[in-house]
Amino acid sequence: MASLQFENVSAILAENPGVFSKPAAEELSRLTHGDTVCLFFVYGFSTSGRKAERLLAKVTAVEAHQYKGILLSPMQHVKAIQQGDEITFSSEHIAAISQG
């Protein structure tokens, strides 16, 4: 399983209220196998002024606020992980949810 550093969306939102929204705790509590989530992978470098890449993952396992999923999006700038790889993440990393 690949190791990635994801943006803590909850912390960014707390520091910058109104910039964007994230799923409410109630939505996160309903997250289940098969749902698709949006995450932001943080680079260790800057690419054209960007420091993160938006990724989509399909949830494959849920345990408390910890998740496993399969990466649905191809990575643009990092080749260490590829579409179809398994990843792990937490609820504070989830920027959006698409159920089903």
Side-chain angles (χ1 to χ4, degrees):
M1 184 178 326
S3 175
L4 296 175
Q5 179 183 348
F6 293 105
E7 187 70 74
N8 184 329
V9 176
S10 297
I12 296 299
L13 186 59
E15 293 171 7
N16 304 286
V19 173
F20 64 91
S21 61
K22 70 171 261 114
E26 182 179 321
E27 289 178 278
L28 292 169
S29 71
R30 292 192 309 260
L31 196 59
T32 188
H33 182 277
D35 289 343
T36 299
V37 296
C38 176
L39 311 164
F40 291 96
F41 169 69
V42 179
Y43 305 139
F45 54 89
S46 180
T47 303
S48 301
R50 297 182 182 155
K51 297 181 185 174
E53 183 172 338
R54 182 178 64 182
L55 304 175
L56 296 177
K58 183 171 290 283
V59 176
T60 58
V62 178
E63 188 172 319
H65 298 286
Q66 299 294 313
Y67 307 92
K68 286 186 181 180
I70 300 297
L71 186 62
L72 298 176
S73 318
M75 297 286 290
Q76 298 297 316
H77 300 286
V78 176
K79 302 303 177 197
I81 184 166
Q82 298 178 6
Q83 188 174 359
D85 285 352
E86 184 177 66
I87 58 174
T88 59
F89 51 95
S90 301
S91 58
E92 67 266 12
H93 302 130
I94 299 171
I97 299 171
S98 175
Q99 262 91 22

